[in-house]
Amino acid sequence: MSAPVVGTDVPRVDGLEKVTGAAKYTADLKFPRLLHVAVVRSPHPHARVLDVRTDRAARMPGVRAVASGRDFPLHTGIYLKDQTVFATDRVRFVGDPVAAVAAETPELAAEAAAQVHVEYEPLPPIFDVEEGFAEGAPLVHPDLGSYEVVPWIRPKAGTNVCNHLKIRKGDYASALKGSWKVFENVFRVPQVQHVPMEPHVSVARVDLAGKVEVHSSAQSPFTVRHLLAHCFGLPHGDVRVHVPYVGGGFGGKAGINLEPIAVALAMRCRGRWVRLMVDRHEEFFATVVRQGLTATLVTGVDRHGKVQAQKMHYLWNCGGYGGYGVNIVRSAGYTCGGAYEFPNVEGDSIGVYTNRPVGSAYRGFGMQEIHWALEQQMDRVAVELGIDPAEFRLKNCLGAGKSTVTGQLLDEHAGRVDLCIRNVAKAIGFEPDRERTPYRGKGIACAVKAPAMPNDAASSVILKFAEDATLEILISGIDYGQGLMTVVAQFASEALDLPVEKIRVKGCPDTDLSPYDWQTVASRQTWATGNAVFRAASEIRGKLCATAAEALSVPAEELSLRGGAVVHEATGRALPFERLVMGYQFPDGHAIGGPVAAASSYLPEGLLFLDPETSQSAKPVAKWTFGAQAVSIAVDPETGQVTVEKVAACYDVGKVVNPALIKGQTYGGIVQGLGTGTMEELVLDPKTGRAVNASLMDYKIPSTEDVPAEMAVDFVETAQKDGPMGARGIGEHTMIPTPAAIANALWDACGIRISEMPITAEKVWRALKAKERAERGAKAAGEARVPAGTVA
């Protein structure tokens, strides 16, 4: 029998930060009579839950609600419903919610939560993904075969495999046998945290009629509504979700997170607002993290430096639950070839349950992880063949008339990764005959990403005029810093020739009042919402011109919009929008038209499912965004410290809509990529499964001192055929290739390879020392050939 644990280190409890001063005043105004939540979390990485006794907690002063898995044995999950609101039969990671208390103050909630008694039976934990994948491994989810799952996610009952996507193209086995040279390497990526400025927080209330209202820091208000309705068996119309301005997400606030716990407690004290917020410590392990990866790559090449056979075997460490992470597994599978044309492919992307924190979406959605492996593999092959790494990439990269690993034939609108490679190679001085300086090097890496989304993922907008002809645009995409609201205003301004000062974009969606949007993920908002804006603007244009045509007694097709007016070019007559947007009134008093408004939506066009056995498909994704980065670094041989001095980045974005915003996205992505590439890793105690660096003191993220001295960014504009003004997504792509480019530069600088992210100074120092020992040993033995490098 184990002692009850609140959080993972008593007295750490969700929501126990002090709400004081202005913050408390604001909270009291918006959420009067607010209750505070403390969550009882598992201290074990894997254990059966034998008993949960909440009676003592429920009797304590100020306690208004207590809940556990016995009260809410309900499942949730966006693609695979494998997670319960509270643990029922077992806990699957340190921090798994077991029960929760809502009380009048944070202090009372904490005291009551400490009185919840939980009896556990510890089970053998699994932290390593290869151990979890092994035949006969202890099962994290014995009931996996009974979970509800979407048709295109394929868990394997009786194992720890929560999804497996196979890629089979050409004849890999024969091509490998016929290859001139074959290379095999293994690469690893750890779990990392999103570290948003604002931690996860949700506030919920259930009114006396049973309607649920939620305010949450989330990326997906309509998905939150959908999942809450499904989880609690409610009509969608009885669930209302508000999303205010969000203080950072990076994928960690996609799908559903704290909301079910807040709603469960609110159901037990109707009419009261209930607030659940994790503190910074718990944000690291009790919400979601980026999944870990072990990637094994085998590459067969011919005598001309063309890849003929390529194998990718990805094992994804999904942690205790895979409800969202299973789609990362899928996305990584159909993108496993990166920016290259491989004629013969054997790819397996496999999600594996372990007893680590829950893996979920993270900026890049698996792409940085697989490019860490693939781009280093391409570099190693090029070096072994004696081919310049940039030229080797150009020889094998995708382009018009070439096919992806899924067999999709790219056309001239798909994007030009070759131009991106040439651009960054020139910007960084990546010439084959460049002058070499010890401990200074240059590296290059490519990137590609498609939006990982269901084929019916839609975005919609509402455009309507105020009486003074101010255009109001309602959207439900979340602007958490990427500039969506600005871009939407630009698109509307362009479509209606209306000064942007006359446009107001309304964010902070409310699912009762705002138009539907699937999620703000997948770098899809500029493209999807942008298309919806242009469609709605076309309808607005038609209404304005129809009314003006009748008012001016001219054909509507002879009218145009210019500067906030409908103009008849032939006669020079014009009507300002102010005369039309609420209807036009003639001198005799009769009126026509009426308030001008339009609603429209955009749905991806022509997408086709992947073949279940081979993943071949003529169009599995809506679009591809290609890019490349090159870096120059300096290495301190005494400490192993790597300084990234310059980064050159280039992406084919279709159309640069806003130069300042797109540069900001690129700078931010480079720095975030530098962080995950050189310093970030969530470390667990190998015995207890507890995070040992769950604080900003111990978990390092880049500071201003780590920003490269120079970041040169440029863009190629190959118009996306179905993009608004030709634009395609770019938000996530900018951090994808950075770690691999640094790793490749490390080889160029000092002849060492780091296969496991992050590239820390300690790893570099150890690899340099190992290289020195190998060179001394070779010299002492009288060997003529000194090893070219050491792999760490």
Side-chain angles (χ1 to χ4, degrees), residues 28-76:
D28 288 344
L29 285 178
K30 193 171 185 69
F31 306 113
R33 301 176 66 233
L34 181 69
L35 296 176
H36 302 269
V37 176
V39 176
V40 180
R41 298 189 176 278
S42 169
H44 302 288
H46 197 197
R48 288 191 180 90
V49 178
L50 302 180
D51 191 23
V52 181
R53 294 200 291 275
T54 61
D55 51 321
R56 289 182 63 183
R59 292 195 299 268
M60 293 188 67
V63 172
R64 298 294 175 256
V66 182
S68 69
R70 183 185 300 112
D71 309 302
F72 294 95
L74 308 172
H75 283 78
T76 188

Coordinates of all heavy atoms in Angstrom, one line a residue, residues 28-76:
D28 N -11.8 37.3 -10.1 CA -13.0 37.4 -9.4 C -14.1 38.0 -10.3 O -15.3 37.7 -10.2 CB -12.8 38.2 -8.1 CG -12.0 37.5 -7.1 OD1 -11.9 36.2 -7.2 OD2 -11.5 38.1 -6.1
L29 N -13.7 39.0 -11.1 CA -14.7 39.7 -12.0 C -15.2 38.7 -13.0 O -16.4 38.6 -13.3 CB -14.1 40.9 -12.6 CG -13.9 42.1 -11.7 CD1 -13.2 43.2 -12.5 CD2 -15.2 42.6 -11.2
K30 N -14.3 38.0 -13.7 CA -14.7 37.1 -14.8 C -15.3 35.8 -14.3 O -16.2 35.3 -14.9 CB -13.5 36.8 -15.7 CG -13.8 36.2 -17.0 CD -12.6 36.2 -17.9 CE -12.9 35.7 -19.3 NZ -13.7 36.7 -20.0
F31 N -14.8 35.3 -13.2 CA -15.2 34.0 -12.7 C -15.6 34.2 -11.2 O -14.8 33.7 -10.3 CB -14.2 32.9 -12.9 CG -13.7 32.8 -14.3 CD1 -12.4 33.1 -14.6 CD2 -14.5 32.3 -15.3 CE1 -11.9 33.0 -15.9 CE2 -14.1 32.2 -16.6 CZ -12.8 32.5 -16.9
P32 N -16.7 34.7 -10.9 CA -17.1 34.9 -9.5 C -17.3 33.6 -8.8 O -17.7 32.6 -9.4 CB -18.4 35.7 -9.6 CG -18.9 35.4 -10.9 CD -17.8 35.3 -11.8
R33 N -17.0 33.6 -7.5 CA -17.1 32.4 -6.6 C -16.3 31.3 -7.2 O -16.7 30.1 -7.3 CB -18.5 32.0 -6.5 CG -19.4 33.2 -5.8 CD -20.9 32.8 -5.8 NE -21.1 31.7 -4.9 CZ -21.8 30.6 -5.2 NH1 -22.3 30.5 -6.4 NH2 -22.0 29.6 -4.4
L34 N -15.1 31.6 -7.6 CA -14.2 30.6 -8.3 C -13.7 29.5 -7.3 O -13.2 29.9 -6.2 CB -13.0 31.3 -8.9 CG -12.0 30.5 -9.7 CD1 -12.6 29.9 -11.0 CD2 -10.8 31.4 -10.0
L35 N -13.8 28.3 -7.7 CA -13.2 27.2 -6.9 C -11.9 26.8 -7.5 O -11.6 26.9 -8.7 CB -14.2 25.9 -6.9 CG -15.5 26.1 -6.3 CD1 -16.4 24.9 -6.5 CD2 -15.4 26.5 -4.8
H36 N -11.0 26.3 -6.6 CA -9.6 25.9 -7.1 C -9.5 24.4 -7.0 O -10.0 23.8 -6.1 CB -8.6 26.6 -6.2 CG -8.8 28.1 -6.2 ND1 -8.1 28.9 -7.1 CD2 -9.6 29.0 -5.5 CE1 -8.5 30.2 -6.9 NE2 -9.4 30.2 -6.0
V37 N -8.7 23.9 -7.9 CA -8.5 22.4 -8.0 C -7.1 22.0 -7.6 O -6.1 22.6 -8.0 CB -8.8 22.0 -9.5 CG1 -8.6 20.5 -9.6 CG2 -10.2 22.3 -9.9
A38 N -7.1 20.9 -6.9 CA -5.8 20.2 -6.6 C -6.0 18.8 -7.2 O -7.0 18.1 -6.9 CB -5.5 20.2 -5.2
V39 N -5.0 18.3 -7.9 CA -5.1 17.0 -8.5 C -4.2 16.0 -7.8 O -3.0 16.3 -7.5 CB -4.6 17.0 -10.0 CG1 -4.6 15.6 -10.6 CG2 -5.6 17.9 -10.8
V40 N -4.7 14.9 -7.5 CA -3.9 13.8 -6.9 C -3.3 13.0 -8.0 O -4.0 12.4 -8.8 CB -4.8 12.9 -6.0 CG1 -3.9 11.8 -5.4 CG2 -5.5 13.7 -4.9
R41 N -2.0 12.9 -8.1 CA -1.2 12.3 -9.2 C -0.5 11.1 -8.7 O 0.0 11.0 -7.6 CB -0.3 13.3 -9.8 CG -1.0 14.5 -10.4 CD -0.1 15.4 -11.3 NE -0.8 16.5 -11.9 CZ -1.5 16.4 -13.0 NH1 -1.6 15.2 -13.6 NH2 -2.1 17.4 -13.5
S42 N -0.3 10.2 -9.6 CA 0.4 8.9 -9.3 C 1.9 9.2 -9.0 O 2.6 9.9 -9.8 CB 0.3 8.0 -10.5 OG 1.2 6.9 -10.3
P43 N 2.4 8.6 -8.0 CA 3.9 8.7 -7.7 C 4.6 7.5 -8.4 O 5.9 7.5 -8.4 CB 4.0 8.5 -6.2 CG 2.9 7.6 -5.9 CD 1.7 7.9 -6.8
H44 N 3.9 6.6 -9.1 CA 4.5 5.5 -9.7 C 4.4 5.6 -11.2 O 3.4 6.1 -11.8 CB 3.7 4.2 -9.3 CG 3.7 3.9 -7.8 ND1 4.8 3.5 -7.1 CD2 2.7 4.0 -6.9 CE1 4.5 3.4 -5.9 NE2 3.2 3.7 -5.7
P45 N 5.4 5.1 -12.0 CA 5.3 5.1 -13.4 C 4.3 4.1 -13.9 O 3.8 4.2 -15.0 CB 6.7 4.9 -13.9 CG 7.3 4.1 -12.7 CD 6.7 4.6 -11.5
H46 N 4.1 3.0 -13.2 CA 3.2 1.9 -13.6 C 2.8 1.2 -12.4 O 3.6 0.7 -11.6 CB 4.0 1.0 -14.6 CG 3.1 0.1 -15.4 ND1 3.5 -1.1 -16.0 CD2 1.8 0.2 -15.7 CE1 2.5 -1.6 -16.7 NE2 1.4 -0.9 -16.5
A47 N 1.5 1.1 -12.2 CA 0.9 0.4 -11.1 C -0.6 0.2 -11.2 O -1.3 1.0 -12.0 CB 1.1 1.2 -9.8
R48 N -1.1 -0.9 -10.6 CA -2.5 -1.1 -10.6 C -3.1 -0.1 -9.5 O -2.5 0.1 -8.4 CB -2.9 -2.5 -10.2 CG -2.6 -3.5 -11.4 CD -3.2 -4.8 -11.1 NE -3.0 -5.8 -12.2 CZ -1.9 -6.5 -12.3 NH1 -1.0 -6.5 -11.3 NH2 -1.8 -7.3 -13.3
V49 N -4.3 0.4 -9.7 CA -5.0 1.2 -8.7 C -6.0 0.2 -8.1 O -7.0 -0.2 -8.7 CB -5.7 2.4 -9.4 CG1 -6.5 3.2 -8.3 CG2 -4.7 3.3 -10.1
L50 N -5.7 -0.1 -6.8 CA -6.5 -1.0 -6.1 C -7.7 -0.4 -5.4 O -8.8 -0.9 -5.3 CB -5.7 -1.8 -5.1 CG -4.5 -2.6 -5.6 CD1 -3.7 -3.3 -4.5 CD2 -4.9 -3.6 -6.7
D51 N -7.5 0.9 -4.9 CA -8.5 1.5 -4.2 C -8.2 3.0 -4.1 O -7.1 3.4 -4.0 CB -8.6 1.0 -2.8 CG -9.9 1.5 -2.1 OD1 -10.9 1.8 -2.8 OD2 -9.9 1.5 -0.8
V52 N -9.3 3.8 -4.3 CA -9.2 5.3 -4.1 C -10.3 5.7 -3.1 O -11.5 5.5 -3.4 CB -9.4 6.0 -5.4 CG1 -9.2 7.5 -5.2 CG2 -8.3 5.6 -6.5
R53 N -9.9 6.2 -2.0 CA -10.8 6.6 -1.0 C -10.8 8.1 -0.8 O -9.8 8.7 -0.4 CB -10.5 5.9 0.4 CG -10.8 4.4 0.3 CD -10.9 3.8 1.6 NE -9.7 3.8 2.5 CZ -8.8 2.9 2.4 NH1 -8.9 1.8 1.5 NH2 -7.7 3.0 3.2
T54 N -11.9 8.7 -1.0 CA -12.0 10.2 -1.1 C -12.9 10.7 0.1 O -13.1 11.9 0.1 CB -12.6 10.7 -2.4 OG1 -13.9 10.2 -2.6 CG2 -11.7 10.3 -3.6
D55 N -13.4 9.9 0.9 CA -14.4 10.3 1.9 C -13.9 11.3 2.9 O -14.5 12.3 3.2 CB -15.0 9.1 2.7 CG -13.9 8.2 3.2 OD1 -12.9 8.0 2.5 OD2 -14.1 7.7 4.3
R56 N -12.6 11.2 3.3 CA -12.1 12.1 4.3 C -11.9 13.5 3.6 O -12.2 14.5 4.2 CB -10.7 11.6 4.8 CG -10.9 10.4 5.8 CD -9.5 10.0 6.3 NE -8.9 11.1 7.1 CZ -7.7 11.0 7.6 NH1 -7.0 9.9 7.5 NH2 -7.2 12.0 8.3
A57 N -11.4 13.5 2.4 CA -11.3 14.7 1.7 C -12.6 15.5 1.5 O -12.7 16.7 1.6 CB -10.6 14.5 0.3
A58 N -13.6 14.7 1.2 CA -14.9 15.3 0.9 C -15.5 16.0 2.1 O -16.3 16.9 2.0 CB -15.9 14.2 0.4
R59 N -15.1 15.5 3.3 CA -15.7 16.1 4.6 C -15.0 17.3 5.1 O -15.4 18.0 6.0 CB -15.7 15.0 5.6 CG -16.7 13.9 5.4 CD -16.9 13.0 6.7 NE -15.7 12.5 7.2 CZ -15.2 11.3 6.9 NH1 -15.9 10.5 6.0 NH2 -14.1 10.8 7.4
M60 N -13.9 17.6 4.4 CA -13.0 18.8 4.9 C -13.7 20.1 4.6 O -14.4 20.3 3.6 CB -11.6 18.7 4.3 CG -10.9 17.5 4.8 SD -9.1 17.5 4.3 CE -8.5 18.9 5.2
P61 N -13.5 21.1 5.5 CA -14.1 22.4 5.3 C -13.6 23.1 4.0 O -12.5 23.0 3.6 CB -13.5 23.2 6.5 CG -13.1 22.2 7.5 CD -12.7 21.0 6.7
G62 N -14.6 23.7 3.3 CA -14.3 24.4 2.1 C -14.3 23.5 0.9 O -14.2 24.1 -0.3
V63 N -14.4 22.2 1.0 CA -14.4 21.3 -0.2 C -15.8 21.3 -0.8 O -16.7 21.0 -0.1 CB -13.9 19.9 0.2 CG1 -14.0 18.9 -0.9 CG2 -12.4 20.0 0.7
R64 N -15.8 21.5 -2.1 CA -17.1 21.5 -2.7 C -17.3 20.3 -3.7 O -18.4 20.0 -4.1 CB -17.3 22.8 -3.5 CG -17.3 24.0 -2.6 CD -18.5 24.0 -1.7 NE -18.4 25.2 -0.7 CZ -18.1 25.0 0.5 NH1 -17.8 23.8 1.0 NH2 -18.1 26.1 1.3
A65 N -16.2 19.6 -4.1 CA -16.3 18.5 -5.0 C -15.1 17.7 -4.9 O -14.0 18.2 -4.8 CB -16.6 18.9 -6.4
V66 N -15.3 16.3 -5.0 CA -14.2 15.4 -5.1 C -14.5 14.4 -6.2 O -15.7 14.0 -6.3 CB -13.9 14.7 -3.8 CG1 -12.7 13.7 -3.9 CG2 -13.7 15.6 -2.7
A67 N -13.6 14.0 -7.0 CA -13.9 13.1 -8.1 C -12.7 12.1 -8.3 O -11.5 12.5 -8.1 CB -14.2 13.8 -9.4
S68 N -13.0 10.9 -8.8 CA -12.0 10.0 -9.1 C -12.5 9.1 -10.3 O -13.6 9.4 -10.9 CB -11.7 9.0 -7.9 OG -12.8 8.2 -7.7
G69 N -11.7 8.1 -10.7 CA -12.1 7.3 -11.8 C -13.3 6.5 -11.6 O -14.0 6.1 -12.5
R70 N -13.6 6.3 -10.3 CA -14.9 5.5 -10.0 C -16.1 6.4 -10.4 O -17.1 5.8 -10.8 CB -14.9 5.2 -8.5 CG -16.1 4.4 -8.1 CD -16.2 4.3 -6.5 NE -15.0 3.6 -6.0 CZ -14.1 4.2 -5.3 NH1 -14.2 5.4 -4.9 NH2 -13.1 3.5 -4.8
D71 N -16.0 7.7 -10.3 CA -17.1 8.6 -10.6 C -17.2 8.9 -12.1 O -18.2 9.1 -12.7 CB -16.9 9.9 -9.9 CG -16.7 9.7 -8.4 OD1 -17.5 9.1 -7.7 OD2 -15.6 10.2 -7.9
F72 N -16.0 8.9 -12.8 CA -16.0 9.2 -14.2 C -15.1 8.2 -15.0 O -14.0 8.6 -15.4 CB -15.4 10.7 -14.4 CG -16.3 11.7 -13.8 CD1 -16.1 12.2 -12.5 CD2 -17.4 12.2 -14.6 CE1 -16.9 13.2 -12.0 CE2 -18.2 13.2 -14.1 CZ -18.0 13.7 -12.8
P73 N -15.6 7.0 -15.2 CA -14.8 6.0 -15.9 C -14.9 6.2 -17.4 O -15.3 5.3 -18.2 CB -15.4 4.7 -15.4 CG -16.8 5.1 -15.2 CD -16.8 6.5 -14.7
L74 N -14.5 7.4 -17.9 CA -14.8 7.8 -19.2 C -13.5 8.0 -20.0 O -12.5 8.5 -19.5 CB -15.5 9.2 -19.2 CG -16.8 9.2 -18.4 CD1 -17.3 10.7 -18.3 CD2 -17.8 8.3 -18.9
H75 N -13.5 7.6 -21.3 CA -12.3 7.7 -22.1 C -12.4 8.9 -23.0 O -13.4 9.4 -23.4 CB -12.2 6.4 -23.0 CG -11.7 5.2 -22.3 ND1 -12.5 4.5 -21.4 CD2 -10.5 4.6 -22.3 CE1 -11.8 3.4 -20.9 NE2 -10.6 3.5 -21.4
T76 N -11.2 9.4 -23.4 CA -11.0 10.5 -24.3 C -9.8 10.3 -25.1 O -8.9 9.5 -24.8 CB -11.1 11.8 -23.6 OG1 -11.1 12.9 -24.6 CG2 -9.8 12.0 -22.8

